[in-house]
């Protein structure tokens, strides 16, 4: 994997770094919970008057937190600077085939794409927020050219995907499901690279895709992608349905604090409040630096220096 991608100039995230929970601001909690349970098959792990935490069907790992704010505007079709989509990674192709059959049965037509490294279905939630559900192809089948991982957008072979489903029916995301990556609309790719690559410590993996940059840790195809496809759009704000923050999961507190210091020394905002460490990119997109814990459920954020 050493000949793939471009490592950051300074601090480099450990290979085990990955995406954790995403926290979304939505307008109607009951409507959103119903969508995520019925359409995507998530299970509600915790619910209060104004928020709900969702998990896979047979798992207690928090994946999505919905936070209600009455009156927020739906994400416009063209998008805002901020979340483009978050991506739910299923553990195998059969599950993705079962999910496609489930969507067909309830009358939903998703967007579809073969990205070479993965196969993906695309949905829009009740607030207009983008959701990708995907399965990776075996890592040994991923190809590269010119030092970059090869990623494309090609038609999906739905017949083959449905065949892979076998006789099992979709009962929700199986154990092992996680958030595979996050993808953002940003204002400038070089500024985004300065934050996510040079400061946060992600490798560049794909930089030749039109208007986009893909970055990852540990040789993955991408944990974070950014694009300028919504050029000229305004920033998402408190009055919009939007991403509130996302978790970058790190193996230990030393790695988390090293990442925080690298981001801070590059001149970007890092906040330490009540033991929670957040880093904010040039467009206000916030990452929570989180230490992996084997206990399940709603996990606390990193305690700096712990």
């Amino acid at each position: 994997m050493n000949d793939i991608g471009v490592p950051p100039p300074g601090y480099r995230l450990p290979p085990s770094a990955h995406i954790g929970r995403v926290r979304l601001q939505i307008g109607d909690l009951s409507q959103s919970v119903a969508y995520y349970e019925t359409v995507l098959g998530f299970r509600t792990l915790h619910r209060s008057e104004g928020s709900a935490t969702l998990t896979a069907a047979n798992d207690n790992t928090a994946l999505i937190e919905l936070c209600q704010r009455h009156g927020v505007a739906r994400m416009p079709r063209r998008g805002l600077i901020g979340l483009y989509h978050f991506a739910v990674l299923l553990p195998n192709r059969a599950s993705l085939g079962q999910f496609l059959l489930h969507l067909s049965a309830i009358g939903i037509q998703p967007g579809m794409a073969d990205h070479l490294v993965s196969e993906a279905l695309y949905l829009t939630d009740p607030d207009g927020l983008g959701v990708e559900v995907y399965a990776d192809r075996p890592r040994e089948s991923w190809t590269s050219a010119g030092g970059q991982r090869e990623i494309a957008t090609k038609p999906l072979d739905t017949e083959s995907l449905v065949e892979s489903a076998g006789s099992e029916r979709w009962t929700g995301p199986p154990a092992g499901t996680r958030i595979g990556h996050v993808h953002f609309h940003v204002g400038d790719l070089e500024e985004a690279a300065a934050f996510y690559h040079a400061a946060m410590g992600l490798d560049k993996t794909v930089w030749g895709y039109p208007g986009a940059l893909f970055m990852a840790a540990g040789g993955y195809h991408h944990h974070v992608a950014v694009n300028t496809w919504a050029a000229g759009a305004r920033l998402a704000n408190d009055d919009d349905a939007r991403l509130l923050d996302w978790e970058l999961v790190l193996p230990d507190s030393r790695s988390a604090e090293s990442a925080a210091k690298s981001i801070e020394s590059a001149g970007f905002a890092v906040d330490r409040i009540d033991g929670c460490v957040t880093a904010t990119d040039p467009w206000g997109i916030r990452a929570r630096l989180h230490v992996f814990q084997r206990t399940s459920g709603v996990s606390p954020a990193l305690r700096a220096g712990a």
Side-chain angles (χ1 to χ4, degrees):
M1 305 298 293
N2 292 336
D3 60 341
I4 304 300
V6 177
Y11 175 74
R12 191 182 196 188
L13 288 169
S16 62
H18 60 275
I19 308 301
R21 175 179 50 184
V22 293
R23 200 161 62 99
L24 309 174
Q25 178 168 278
I26 50 86
D28 186 306
L29 186 63
S30 294
Q31 176 180 248
S32 290
V33 167
Y35 177 87
Y36 281 95
E37 288 184 342
T38 303
V39 175
L40 287 113
F42 282 98
R43 180 171 62 86
T44 298
L45 185 62
H46 299 283
R47 182 167 179 174
S48 66
E49 184 177 347
S51 68
T53 301
L54 309 177
T55 185
N58 297 300
D59 200 334
N60 286 331
T61 303
L63 298 178
I64 302 167
E65 184 175 349
L66 302 171
C67 300
Q68 179 176 265
R69 184 182 176 94
H70 290 297
V72 295
R74 193 176 191 274
M75 177 69 70
R77 189 167 186 175
R78 182 172 179 269
L80 299 174
I81 300 300
L83 182 68
Y84 177 48
H85 64 243
F86 67 92
V88 177
L89 173 59
L90 300 178
N92 52 61
R93 190 173 192 247
S95 296
L96 188 66
Q98 292 157 17
F99 181 56
L100 179 56
L101 285 170
H102 160 71
L103 292 178
S104 178
I106 62 175
I108 292 179
Q109 177 64 46
M112 306 179 190
D114 180 340
H115 293 306
L116 305 182
V117 295
S118 63
E119 295 170 288
L121 305 176
Y122 293 92
L123 299 163
T124 302
D125 83 355
D127 290 275
L129 301 175
V131 185
E132 176 182 345
V133 180
Y134 76 111
D136 281 331
R137 285 201 165 93
R139 188 173 289 215
E140 58 269 22
S141 73
W142 300 353
T143 59
S144 61
Q148 304 182 65
R149 184 63 63 200
E150 288 192 296
I151 293 179
T153 299
K154 295 180 177 294
L156 184 65
D157 185 347
T158 56
E159 183 176 345
S160 172
L161 183 59
V162 166
E163 286 178 359
S164 75
S167 59
E168 297 293 323
R169 298 185 64 181
W170 176 257
T171 57
T177 296
R178 65 183 187 182
I179 304 301
H181 65 265
V182 286
H183 192 156
F184 306 128
H185 288 305
V186 297
D188 183 87
L189 295 184
E190 289 189 9
E191 286 185 65
F195 180 82
Y196 292 102
H197 169 62
M200 182 175 282
L202 291 162
D203 294 355
K204 290 183 181 180
T205 55
V206 181
W207 51 90
Y209 198 97
L213 173 65
F214 297 77
M215 296 161 283
Y220 193 55
H221 50 75
H222 69 295
H223 289 112
V224 175
V226 294
N227 71 68
T228 54
W229 304 332
R234 64 174 176 82
L235 274 63
N237 61 44
D238 288 346
D239 296 324
D240 298 305
R242 64 187 179 108
L243 176 76
L244 292 173
D245 56 47
W246 60 280
E247 285 182 346
L248 174 64
V249 182
L250 298 164
D252 51 56
S253 57
R254 179 177 296 180
S255 298
E257 185 60 19
S258 294
K261 288 179 177 177
S262 176
I263 295 167
E264 200 167 32
S265 66
F268 297 103
V270 173
D271 295 316
R272 293 172 172 83
I273 301 174
D274 297 331
C276 296
V277 179
T278 62
T280 306
D281 83 355
W283 302 277
I285 301 168
R286 292 183 295 179
R288 295 167 64 99
L289 305 186
H290 173 75
V291 174
F292 173 78
Q293 296 178 342
R294 294 193 178 277
T295 54
S296 59
V298 180
S299 49
L302 164 70
R303 293 192 176 277

